Amino acid sequence: MARLIVISNRVSVPKAAGAAGAQGGLAVALNSALREHGGIWFGWSGQETEEFTGHLDMQRNNGVTTATIDLEPQDIEEYYNGYANRTLWPLFHYRIDLTEYDRNFGEGYERVNERFADSVLPLIENEDLVWVHDYHLLPLGSLLRQKGVKNRMGLFLHTPWPPTRLLVSLPFHERLVASMLEFDVIGFQTPEWLESFLHYVQKEMGLTVNPDNSIDYEGRKVIARAFPIGIDFEEFVTAAASDEARQAHDRLKESVRGRKILIGVDRLDYSKGLGERFEAFARFLADNPDQAARAVLLQIAPPSREDVTSYQMIREDLERKTGHINGAHADVAFVPIRYVNQGFPRDELAGFYRAAAIGLVTPLRDGMNLVAKEYIAAQDPEDPGVLILSQFAGAAHQLKDALLVNPHSIEHVSETIKQALEMPLAERKERHARLFASVREQDVRRWREEFVEALFGRVDSGESSALPLPIPAQTASIPQDEAAT
């Protein structure tokens, strides 16, 4: 039986028996796949070393083998803080204004991918399936091919894929995409991101895209498909029914003294639209003085990438906005925004979601957004809350019974908050029932099984899409700038 070699930037070591609920849904799914197929999860340990040696730290926990390497400080700065998070991340989220093109970043990205390839190579056996994750490791398939790996390999991208006109602003963009085409399967979260990728390879590289969305490349057919990722539905529903969740629910409800709770849970990232969200809530408070004292926004925003300047600026901006809004609308016994810079265990989060009348999920651009799905899974079906969801989140493709909003329109979001708070129980229950069914059916296990089946070559490349995707007309490409990398 073929083993599975999972490769990602970071590795989530499985928890001891009985503690799996502390892990994220993706980690649970990948650990489950590794237990089923056998194999290894390889990646960076998150630790620094003065000099890279390629030493592998091998561990086996709860039936899963992990292998990690340490990286040099220069590697972390150029590959992770640099090219991954200051070049690819903003570009893939359509923020070309924040995208930095620096030759050292590009060199560090290629160097670390080479180190990943050299380190994982001895672990790969002839029949293994190789599954690479995300934008940190786009060239890895090509590097492994150069080192003689003939195994079936797949790449899954957890972020959006940008339109061609934005992607061609990336120096050496064609070389990067050509390296991706060395994978046998390339997976995207939604048909929109898939469509953008197919448009690029057809228009910029002159490749043939077949009716089943496979790509003819150097005598091979590369499978490109949308594999919508979900949550670990059963695990999250169980977490929402736990004692810890009930206690968190009761504690939050008691603290607001009968007010309606709006909840947002996001990493502190400019793609999440938190500044716009706060402004929309402030507009709601100003436009609806009769309801202003009866609504509380709880925004949970754990810090991320604190070494990157743009993230420090986001935190400062949100702190200023929180102070301004609370100063304008608070009284001695009430503040309208509770802004919390820390994370919480999944059981507690499930309790907070269940206590909230509105799930406010309004990213400016998001590959999927699993918070939206967690919010739905945590609700009481007899008295469910309302999900307000950005039309620019990948989840909007599946969760059409949410209240979809344009997060750039402060007025639209403000008016939708009012609509959600006034929505009759019967409509809330109808919408929730359909959303709940979608989240249950398209869970993380289905995502994992469909991708692995495609990697085995057992599933036709077009099966997950009812119809072939059209290649839309786009305007002429921006000329490539070779001056930076």
Side-chain angles (χ1 to χ4, degrees):
M1 180 178 176
R3 300 187 311 164
L4 194 61
I5 307 298
V6 173
I7 307 174
S8 61
N9 173 57
R10 294 288 297 273
V11 174
S12 177
V13 177
K15 308 296 182 183
Q23 293 181 281
L26 176 62
V28 171
L30 294 177
N31 284 322
S32 176
L34 287 163
R35 280 190 290 269
E36 179 180 338
H37 295 280
I40 298 169
W41 190 345
F42 170 86
W44 173 37
S45 64
Q47 302 300 313
E48 293 184 4
T49 181
E50 288 187 9
E51 182 177 357
F52 179 78
T53 64
H55 169 73
L56 290 172
D57 179 12
M58 305 283 294
Q59 297 186 39
R60 186 165 179 80
N61 295 280
N62 200 20
V64 174
T65 300
T66 59
T68 58
I69 56 173
D70 300 338
L71 295 177
E72 296 176 8
Q74 183 180 0
D75 291 336
I76 297 168
E77 178 58 27
E78 294 175 352
Y79 149 78
Y80 182 70
N81 291 331
Y83 200 79
N85 288 320
R86 288 157 67 180
T87 303
L88 293 183
W89 178 268
L91 177 62
F92 284 10
H93 287 83
Y94 299 30
R95 291 300 304 271
I96 194 170
D97 57 313
L98 297 176
T99 303
E100 299 180 36
Y101 303 133
D102 184 295
R103 187 178 301 276
N104 292 329
F105 292 171
E107 291 173 352
Y109 184 74
E110 293 182 1
R111 180 178 64 250
V112 171
N113 270 269
E114 186 83 39
R115 288 178 169 177
F116 266 59
D118 288 336
S119 300
V120 77
L121 185 64
L123 304 177
I124 301 174
E125 299 176 0
N126 289 339
E127 301 302 318
D128 290 343
L129 301 174
V130 179
W131 190 4
V132 177
H133 287 265
D134 228 359
Y135 61 101
H136 310 83
L137 304 172
L138 301 182
L140 188 58
S142 177
L143 293 170
L144 289 172
R145 295 290 187 218
Q146 293 170 24
K147 297 176 188 301
V149 174
K150 295 181 172 25
N151 305 55
R152 285 187 63 80
M153 296 193 296
L155 169 71
F156 184 77
L157 188 66
H158 294 260
T159 66
W161 184 265
T164 298
R165 273 190 63 82
L166 294 185
L167 185 61
V168 296
S169 69
L170 178 70
F172 308 114
H173 52 87
E174 186 169 329
R175 187 175 73 186
L176 185 67
V177 176
S179 71
M180 293 170 61
L181 293 172
E182 294 296 335
F183 290 99
D184 298 288
V185 181
I186 304 175
F188 301 89
Q189 299 207 53
T190 73
E192 180 181 352
W193 317 138
L194 170 61
E195 181 180 314
S196 293
F197 182 79
L198 294 178
H199 180 272
Y200 176 90
V201 299
Q202 185 181 61
K203 298 302 183 183
E204 292 296 320
M205 300 179 72
L207 300 179
T208 297
V209 176
N210 300 304
D212 63 357
N213 297 330
S214 63
I215 303 161
D216 292 338
Y217 182 68
E218 296 188 346
R220 301 165 41 244
K221 283 194 182 296
V222 180
I223 296 171
R225 280 180 54 187
F227 298 88
I229 194 168
I231 65 171
D232 189 333
F233 178 81
E234 297 297 339
E235 183 269 342
F236 202 83
V237 168
T238 299
S242 68
D243 289 340
E244 291 80 4
R246 282 193 291 270
Q247 291 168 10
H249 169 278
D250 293 346
R251 186 170 71 252
L252 180 56
K253 291 285 280 186
E254 290 170 6
S255 73
V256 299
R257 300 180 181 179
R259 297 179 176 90
K260 297 290 187 179
I261 302 165
L262 294 75
I263 190 168
V265 179
D266 310 81
R267 283 187 306 101
L268 198 59
D269 185 285
Y270 48 77
S271 68
K272 302 302 183 181
L274 298 183
E276 291 83 354
R277 185 181 304 171
F278 282 19
E279 291 174 12
F281 185 60
R283 174 64 64 88
F284 166 78
L285 296 176
D287 290 351
N288 301 277
D290 57 320
Q291 297 192 47
R294 297 192 289 112
V296 177
L297 171 59
L298 170 61
Q299 178 61 57
I300 297 172
S304 69
R305 302 166 185 156
E306 294 181 88
D307 293 334
V308 180
T309 303
S310 58
Y311 289 83
Q312 298 167 3
M313 294 171 62
I314 295 164
R315 183 167 184 168
E316 292 171 1
D317 179 59
L318 291 176
E319 288 170 351
R320 281 195 302 270
K321 283 179 172 156
T322 301
H324 176 75
I325 295 167
N326 282 342
H329 297 281
D331 62 30
V332 293
F334 161 72
V335 291
I337 295 183
R338 298 183 180 185
Y339 173 50
V340 183
N341 282 132
Q342 69 178 71
F344 292 88
R346 288 169 68 76
D347 288 4
E348 285 191 60
L349 275 180
F352 295 157
Y353 289 139
R354 197 176 182 92
I358 295 176
L360 203 51
V361 183
T362 56
L364 303 181
R365 188 72 54 179
D366 222 339
M368 176 57 67
N369 197 295
L370 297 182
V371 166
K373 298 188 175 187
E374 290 177 344
Y375 177 79
I376 293 299
Q379 292 306 296
D380 176 359
E382 296 305 314
D383 186 21
V386 179
L387 174 63
I388 297 177
L389 178 61
S390 166
Q391 67 190 65
F392 302 120
H397 181 71
Q398 296 171 299
L399 304 181
K400 298 185 185 301
D401 284 287
L403 296 181
L404 300 181
V405 296
N406 176 0
H408 299 276
S409 171
I410 304 306
E411 292 85 356
H412 187 198
V413 178
S414 169
E415 291 166 0
T416 306
I417 291 172
K418 185 175 188 292
Q419 177 187 352
L421 289 174
E422 295 175 348
M423 186 178 293
L425 176 61
E427 182 181 352
R428 286 192 281 124
K429 291 172 72 171
E430 289 173 5
R431 287 177 178 270
H432 176 261
R434 290 190 291 266
L435 292 167
F436 191 81
S438 174
V439 173
R440 179 184 61 224
E441 292 163 9
Q442 302 187 69
D443 69 351
V444 75
R445 287 182 174 84
R446 175 172 168 177
W447 164 78
R448 181 255 297 176
E449 290 166 0
E450 288 187 351
F451 194 96
V452 172
E453 286 296 297
L455 195 50
F456 269 112
R458 295 172 181 163
V459 181
D460 179 78
S461 63
E463 187 170 298
S464 134
S465 299
L467 294 171
L469 291 172
I471 303 300
Q474 295 196 10
T475 51
S477 303
I478 299 172
Q480 179 182 353
D481 176 11
E482 299 284 347
T485 178

